[in-house]
Amino acid sequence: MFEYPLMAHAFGGYQGHTYCNTRAALENGIANGYQYYEVDLSCTWDGRLVLCHGWTEANCRHTGFVYSPSFRKMTYTQIMGMKVHGDEIMDARQFYQMVKDQPWLFELDFHEVTGEKAQRCVRALLEDFEQDEKTLDERFLVQVYSRQMFFDIDSVHHFKYYQYLVGKNMDKLDEIIAFCREHGICAVAIRANLAKPASVRKLKEAGLSILCYTVQNDVDYAKKLLESGVDTICTDWITPAMLTGEKHSFGKNPFRVYYNSGIRPSEEKYSILIREKKLEGELKELPSGNMEFRDGTIWPNDGAKALAPNYFSAEGKRFAGWKMRVTVDGKMLWYCNDGCYHGGGDIKKDGLLQPFLFEEEALIPRWTFKKNEKLIMVAVWSDEALKDESDKDLNEIQKKGEEI
C-alpha cells in the first residue's frame, strides 16, 4: 500500500481547484502519472454512496456549492444534479466501473462517521463494488478516525488495510500505536507540520507505515518528509515528475532574520542605527501598521549567532520576547512550545499550545531550513512583569532546534 511516495488528494488538484473527486480530476491525475489516490466518499440521506467531500457548510467552501440547510437531507438525485467546480459528480458504482480493471490504489475516506452511518457506508460500498474482494482487499486503504469507527466498519467487512488518522493528536500517539498493533492496522496519517523526526522514528520502530497530509506544492518540503522516514505524501499539486526533477534544498542552510514590531510601535531606533551604519538592513512599514526591520546579513546557521536587541517600544507595554514565524508550503506557521510548527487555528483551539517565546538576544541554534529561509521574529508585548522563564533555557532551545 505504500510503494508510491505520492498520493493524489481527492484525485489531485485540477484546473486550480482542490477537493475535486471527479472523473475529470481522476483522468487528469492519471495523465500526471499518479498510481495512488485519496478519494472522499459520502452517503446520501437515501443511502447511496457518492464521490464528494461532503455538503456541510464548511465542506461547501471546498466543493464550490452554495450551501443550503436542505443539504442536511441530501438525496442521491439532488447531489447528482450538482457539480463540483463545474464538473459532474461520480457515484461509487460509476467509480467501480472506471477503476475495476486498473492497477491504481486508493485510500478511502468516509470522514468521521460512526455507528449505523458508518455501517451503512460500508454496506453501500460492498454493493456498489459488487462484492469484488480482490479490489476491496488488495487496492483499498480504509481510513478511520477513532476506535469506534474502526469497530463499526470492521463489523460489516474486515478490510485488509486500515489507516488510523492521528491528525493533531500527537499527545495520544503511544495509545494509537498500541491500538493499531493490537488490531492489525498497518498505517497512520499525521499532519505534515507535526512530523517530528522522533515521532517518525517511533512509528517506524512500531512497524507502522506513515502518510503525511497535505503538502500542496512544495517539492522540497515533501522530499524532506520522505527522507525523514515518511512513506507517502498526500498532495494536491506535486506530481511524480516534479518529485524526481527537483533538487532537495532543506538542510542546515544560511537564513535571514526579520524583526516585526508585533503592534504599531510608539518609537523605534532601527532607522537611526541604519543611518549610522550600525545595522545593515532596511525598515519597512507593513500594511498592518507594524514596522519590520529586515536584517541584511545572512546568518551562517552555526548556532553561535544571537538575536539582535529589540529597538521597538510600545507605550505602556513591556517587551516580553520574540515568537518565530516561518512560511512552509505557502502557509504561515508558528514555532510552538511542543517543538512543532502550527497555524493560528491550532493555537486558538488548544489552550495549552503557544508560540515558543525566544528571549531578547537569545542564541538561534542550528536549524533545518529551506534555502533562503526567512525567520520572522514577531515582538510579544506584556502589560505586566514577566513570569520566571528559567525553564526556557538555551539548551532546550538547542535540543528542539536540532530535532526539527
Side-chain angles (χ1 to χ4, degrees):
M1 269 297 152
F2 288 89
E3 62 177 301
Y4 301 110
L6 295 179
M7 174 189 288
H9 177 226
F11 297 154
Y14 178 60
Q15 294 188 336
H17 298 294
T18 57
Y19 297 90
C20 298
N21 293 291
T22 59
R23 181 187 296 270
L26 178 55
E27 290 173 345
N28 182 68
I30 294 166
N32 282 326
Y34 294 108
Q35 296 290 320
Y36 203 1
Y37 300 88
E38 186 261 355
V39 55
D40 300 292
L41 293 166
S42 297
C43 198
T44 65
W45 183 259
D46 45 353
R48 291 293 301 276
L49 207 57
V50 297
L51 276 64
C52 185
H53 198 268
W55 37 79
T56 65
E57 190 168 2
N59 284 331
C60 285
R61 290 193 286 271
H62 297 308
T63 56
F65 299 153
V66 177
Y67 175 73
S68 167
S70 67
F71 290 179
R72 286 194 287 268
K73 294 186 178 181
M74 179 73 78
T75 65
Y76 173 77
T77 300
Q78 185 180 5
I79 189 63
M80 293 302 288
M82 298 167 67
K83 292 185 177 182
V84 175
H85 303 303
D87 291 311
E88 293 182 354
I89 292 172
M90 276 197 293
D91 64 29
R93 295 176 188 178
Q94 294 167 330
F95 177 48
Y96 174 60
Q97 294 302 317
M98 185 176 181
V99 306
K100 65 178 181 178
D101 298 321
Q102 303 298 331
W104 310 308
L105 303 177
F106 299 93
E107 178 211 293
L108 302 185
D109 192 350
F110 294 107
H111 300 282
E112 202 164 355
V113 293
T114 55
E116 173 58 28
K117 189 172 183 179
Q119 294 170 344
R120 188 169 70 243
C121 286
V122 179
R123 286 194 291 267
L125 180 72
L126 299 178
E127 179 181 347
D128 292 341
F129 273 70
E130 301 176 3
Q131 302 288 337
D132 181 349
E133 292 187 9
K134 183 173 177 59
T135 298
L136 293 168
D137 293 337
E138 298 299 330
R139 295 170 57 199
F140 285 166
L141 175 72
V142 178
Q143 180 160 275
V144 298
Y145 288 63
S146 65
R147 294 165 175 79
Q148 189 60 53
M149 183 176 177
F150 168 77
F151 290 133
D152 291 335
I153 287 176
D154 206 59
S155 68
V156 178
H157 180 84
H158 176 69
F159 290 92
K160 185 175 180 179
Y161 300 111
Y162 284 99
Q163 173 174 278
Y164 198 112
L165 181 78
V166 178
K168 66 179 182 179
N169 299 314
M170 299 300 287
D171 57 325
K172 299 178 181 177
L173 190 60
D174 289 338
E175 299 172 31
I176 291 171
I177 289 173
F179 182 80
C180 290
R181 288 171 61 89
E182 181 180 355
H183 295 281
I185 296 172
C186 69
V188 297
I190 59 178
R191 287 187 178 186
N193 61 303
L194 303 184
K196 293 168 61 176
S199 300
V200 171
R201 286 194 299 270
K202 179 183 287 189
L203 289 164
K204 300 306 289 185
E205 289 167 0
L208 295 170
S209 297
I210 305 169
L211 173 82
C212 267
Y213 67 95
T214 303
V215 180
Q216 294 184 346
N217 53 28
D218 192 328
V219 179
D220 292 325
Y221 184 36
K223 283 191 172 185
K224 173 181 180 288
L225 293 167
L226 292 167
E227 289 174 4
S228 76
V230 170
D231 295 278
T232 298
I233 304 294
C234 187
T235 182
D236 291 307
W237 303 107
I238 301 172
T239 65
M242 292 167 64
L243 193 65
T244 57
E246 293 285 334
K247 186 177 179 181
H248 181 40
S249 65
F250 269 87
K252 299 297 189 292
N253 294 308
F255 56 90
R256 294 182 182 273
V257 175
Y258 291 179
Y259 299 87
N260 186 299
S261 62
I263 58 176
R264 293 174 184 262
S266 54
E267 292 184 21
E268 53 80 17
K269 296 181 181 177
Y270 291 97
S271 55
I272 297 173
L273 294 171
I274 293 170
R275 190 164 57 248
E276 295 176 350
K277 298 187 177 181
K278 293 179 180 178
L279 285 177
E280 179 185 345
E282 61 177 342
L283 188 67
K284 289 278 188 180
E285 182 175 357
L286 304 179
S288 63
N290 292 5
M291 301 297 292
E292 189 169 85
F293 169 62
R294 300 178 175 179
D295 192 334
T297 61
I298 298 176
W299 287 44
N301 205 350
D302 58 5
K305 189 170 172 59
L307 295 170
N310 168 49
Y311 295 113
F312 295 116
S313 59
E315 187 174 354
K317 296 185 180 295
R318 180 185 178 195
F319 175 71
W322 305 100
K323 55 184 181 179
M324 185 175 80
R325 190 181 75 214
V326 298
T327 300
V328 180
D329 194 32
K331 303 181 183 73
M332 290 193 301
L333 302 174
W334 298 96
Y335 176 62
C336 290
N337 53 5
D338 64 348
C340 293
Y341 293 105
H342 291 270
D346 285 356
I347 296 170
K348 288 178 182 178
K349 291 177 183 177
D350 187 343
L352 298 177
L353 191 64
Q354 296 294 329
F356 188 88
L357 192 67
F358 290 83
E359 295 178 357
E360 188 172 14
E361 299 185 76
L363 287 172
I364 295 295
R366 295 186 73 234
W367 220 301
T368 300
F369 289 125
K370 196 169 182 177
K371 285 183 179 177
N372 304 315
E373 184 70 75
K374 299 179 182 66
L375 302 190
I376 312 297
M377 309 303 295
V378 180
V380 177
W381 302 91
S382 174
D383 294 323
E384 302 175 356
L386 292 176
K387 296 180 180 179
D388 181 21
E389 299 289 345
S390 59
D391 59 320
K392 296 189 176 86
D393 59 26
L394 296 181
N395 289 334
E396 182 66 18
I397 298 174
Q398 177 75 37
K399 178 181 175 184
K400 291 185 176 181
E402 289 294 342
E403 193 172 61
I404 286 182

